[in-house]
Amino acid sequence: MSALKLPDVKLQPGTLEFLEKHPKNLFINNEWLAAQSGETFETRNPASGDVLAEVALAGEADVDAAVAAARTAFRGPWSQLAAADRAARLFKLADLIDAHADALAELETLDNGKPLRVARRGDLPYVTKHLRYQAGWADKIEGSTVPVTYPDQFVYTRREPLGVVAGIIPWNFPLLMAIWKLGPALTAGNTLILKPAEQTPLTALYLADLVKEAGFPPGVVNVLPGPGLPTGAALAKHMGIDKLAFTGSTEVGRKIMEAAANSNLKRVSLELGGKSPNVIFADADVNAAIRGAQWAVFSTAGQECVAGTRLFVERAAYEQVVEGLKAQVEKMVVNHGFAEKVHVGPVITEQQMSRIVGYIEEGKKAGAEVVTGGGRVEELGGGYFVQPTVFAYQDDSLSIVTDEIFGPVAAVTAFDDWDELIARANNTIYGLAAGVWTRDIGKAHRYAHAVQAGTVWINGYGMIDPAAPFGGYKQSGFGREMGKEAIELYTQVKTVWVGMQ
Ligand code: NAI
Ligand code: MG
């Protein structure tokens, strides 16, 4: 592919082979098919703006074909497999992902822009850890016996799969989000149609080959690249899909619920946006808290649903934190993801970059003080780079404080007392995560109980683990992915009555 301009680095042979030779088609029934309409779309490298690949765009007819394949697989070979045999295939898939981790990480960096070190040492190991954790549940999904009031009736429950699940995922952790859906859906005995984000379809396509190699029967996993319209919307309204698991914006989450309500009442789980409060009390290990606050936002260029974008600092420590944060953030290197030295990569698209810069301009106009950063990084050429930016503010109604910016922008403010802090921390439509830094253990727990968020970190920020339930309060969504709760999300309970007369 002569038009393909790649960064000046030596890519793995597997990465090059995939980019140059592999068909970027739809994966249905373990086969690679062009879209029935013949339509394609482009995916770009955010570090340069160059087109990486032309990818088949799944339309309604392709969605119908994938649903039919997933239904046949669900009724047939997949439901006939013993749970331990389902698990065996998932473990095999995890082994294959590990074996292909170098190429997968490089593709993630090319397609999403994130630093290669982050993709290779962060995303990839977590992908397989998650898959193995979930697969371990496959033969441990139990029902219960129920002591009803009728002495001649024996009642028990079974936890059964839902059927055909669709996963619609975002671009910020492309392979990880794919596995967050695939892992529990398949573990619980469902079949899957995965729609990767249109900005980052490549690792999901690579994954499909590994699915086939791992021995999953045709139709168990199908991958349909394409944008929200038409592909995502066709899935959301489809009568043959039993559950839709979504991660993305609150706005689209709302549309998905509407589509489910107006079609077959498919089950919906939503992991949406956030505007998470991170609190530093004056009695904290302030230097650790500053580093924590820095990484809570900037490690993914702010493109993370749990990003700690609202930083509340007790007045006595405020100056120290603002100065410390400024010094730390100014040491961060903004660069393309393959660079030797890089902390902050590009943001995902030109459109996101304009949106982020728009918020920064609004913040300035509204009178928030720019502590550091405050615009694009122009000298990095064609890529979509934004300076890590910190605002100091007082007014909680500014758009930089209320809206999920999804870019490298943090907003820091001082607080004086407990009631003020809790009211302001909870003054948001979101409730995904929260952080608190203090040496007072009682205060830490009081905060953890008072803050409206699905996850709270005390003296830390951003950790996730396959065993720890994860999901939102309020408009950050509902349903818990990970942990045992994820299995509940992908099953339904059947009650069986047995007359013993
Ligand atoms: P988005 O919510 O539009 O995209 C997420 C997924 O939904 C993609 O696969 C997309 O193709 C699909 N989608 C879009 N419209 C759809 C529709 N009508 N029906 C079904 N599926 C549809 O998010 P986008 O535009 O990429 O980013 C916009 C904002 O969303 C970000 O700035 C950020 O605030 C938030 N976001 C939050 C994420 C999170 O992890 N919670 C991830 C990505 C974005
Ligand atoms: Mg891309």
Side-chain angles (χ1 to χ4, degrees):
M1 198 185 285
S2 57
L4 187 62
K5 272 195 278 155
L6 291 171
D8 193 16
V9 287
K10 202 169 158 357
L11 294 169
Q12 296 285 323
T15 312
L16 285 170
E17 193 180 316
F18 176 84
L19 283 171
E20 286 167 7
K21 303 217 179 89
H22 194 287
K24 314 293 183 301
N25 278 347
L26 318 176
F27 185 72
I28 301 175
N29 248 334
N30 281 3
E31 282 174 48
W32 291 103
L33 306 172
Q36 292 187 34
S37 67
E39 272 188 272
T40 61
F41 65 99
E42 291 173 340
T43 185
R44 287 172 189 271
N45 177 353
S48 61
D50 293 334
V51 174
L52 281 170
E54 289 261 339
V55 180
L57 187 159
E60 294 204 3
D62 305 304
V63 169
D64 287 342
V67 172
R71 178 66 57 195
T72 304
F74 177 70
R75 291 204 183 115
W78 192 234
S79 62
Q80 273 138 41
L81 272 186
D85 295 330
R86 284 204 307 273
R89 282 164 179 76
L90 291 162
F91 286 124
K92 177 87 201 289
L93 179 61
D95 292 345
L96 287 168
I97 294 171
D98 277 343
H100 289 259
D102 289 334
L104 283 163
E106 286 185 351
L107 282 177
E108 211 74 309
T109 294
L110 286 168
D111 212 5
N112 162 283
K114 66 178 63 195
L116 181 63
R117 182 176 34 80
V118 173
R120 184 64 186 85
R121 298 199 205 147
D123 295 35
L124 260 299
Y126 190 75
V127 161
T128 48
K129 197 158 86 163
H130 185 82
L131 193 50
R132 292 191 177 101
Y133 171 87
Q134 287 297 343
W137 279 110
D139 53 1
K140 301 168 194 71
I141 301 173
E142 297 176 340
S144 61
T145 57
V146 185
V148 293
T149 50
Y150 305 94
D152 61 354
Q153 293 286 323
F154 168 56
V155 177
Y156 66 94
T157 64
R158 287 165 52 78
R159 205 165 254 291
E160 297 187 342
L162 293 157
V164 176
V165 170
I168 299 185
I169 57 171
W171 41 261
N172 52 347
F173 296 89
L175 187 63
L176 184 56
M177 291 297 117
I179 292 298
W180 276 24
K181 307 305 184 213
L182 181 150
L186 268 54
T187 293
N190 304 282
T191 54
L192 179 72
I193 300 169
L194 181 73
K195 191 199 88 58
E198 59 271 36
Q199 299 85 354
T200 54
L202 296 181
T203 47
L205 297 179
Y206 196 109
L207 176 69
D209 275 339
L210 304 183
V211 162
K212 192 169 172 178
E213 194 179 336
F216 288 89
V220 172
V221 176
N222 307 276
V223 180
L224 297 185
L229 291 173
T231 320
L235 291 166
K237 70 172 190 208
H238 204 285
M239 296 298 286
I241 291 174
D242 302 295
K243 181 202 160 77
L244 201 145
F246 174 74
T247 301
S249 64
T250 295
E251 186 193 344
V252 172
R254 216 181 289 283
K255 288 188 190 156
I256 282 173
M257 275 191 86
E258 252 175 62
N262 292 324
S263 55
N264 62 340
L265 291 177
K266 58 179 64 63
R267 279 34 176 174
V268 170
S269 55
L270 302 176
E271 201 263 275
L272 307 174
K275 191 75 185 176
S276 298
N278 185 20
V279 176
I280 303 178
F281 283 101
D283 64 5
D285 174 344
V286 173
N287 288 327
I290 291 169
R291 281 195 304 279
Q294 171 195 5
W295 292 106
V297 181
F298 300 112
S299 59
T300 51
Q303 303 175 112
E304 187 166 11
C305 49
V306 298
T309 43
R310 291 185 298 140
L311 182 61
F312 292 90
V313 186
E314 195 167 14
R315 182 130 359 234
Y318 181 73
E319 297 272 300
Q320 186 191 352
V321 169
V322 172
E323 270 164 36
L325 192 58
K326 175 177 158 69
Q328 285 288 119
V329 171
E330 286 176 358
K331 280 190 242 161
M332 297 185 99
V333 177
V334 181
N335 211 336
H336 71 82
F338 289 96
E340 193 112 322
K341 209 158 172 48
V342 50
H343 300 113
V344 181
V347 300
I348 189 72
T349 56
E350 189 157 21
Q351 186 195 7
Q352 278 292 110
M353 180 175 67
S354 315
R355 190 170 163 270
I356 296 163
V357 171
Y359 273 113
I360 293 175
E361 291 310 317
E362 265 180 50
K364 287 180 190 166
K365 262 198 223 114
E369 176 205 343
V370 178
V371 174
T372 185
R376 277 194 69 175
V377 183
E378 305 281 356
E379 65 271 22
L380 280 170
Y384 317 131
F385 294 93
V386 179
Q387 294 170 12
T389 297
V390 178
F391 277 107
Y393 75 98
Q394 284 94 39
D395 178 354
D396 289 335
S397 69
L398 302 183
S399 62
I400 55 162
V401 183
T402 57
D403 293 10
E404 181 176 52
I405 299 175
F406 233 61
V409 184
V412 53
T413 190
F415 70 90
D416 293 296
D417 70 59
W418 179 263
D419 290 344
E420 174 206 344
L421 170 68
I422 299 303
R424 292 178 70 193
N426 286 334
N427 182 17
T428 168
I429 63 165
Y430 296 112
L432 193 58
V436 61
W437 301 79
T438 172
R439 288 194 171 98
D440 179 336
I441 191 80
K443 191 158 64 180
H445 286 285
R446 282 199 301 282
Y447 172 81
H449 294 198
V451 73
Q452 293 159 344
T455 295
V456 184
W457 293 287
I458 296 174
N459 294 329
Y461 202 94
M463 284 76 65
I464 48 170
D465 187 89
F470 178 83
Y473 274 35
K474 302 199 280 187
Q475 292 184 42
S476 290
F478 47 81
R480 292 293 176 269
E481 305 193 272
M482 304 199 263
K484 203 175 175 175
E485 277 81 352
I487 298 300
E488 284 165 22
L489 209 59
Y490 288 89
T491 52
Q492 53 196 344
V493 173
K494 177 179 281 173
T495 305
V496 183
W497 291 71
V498 186
M500 299 187 295
Q501 310 81 326

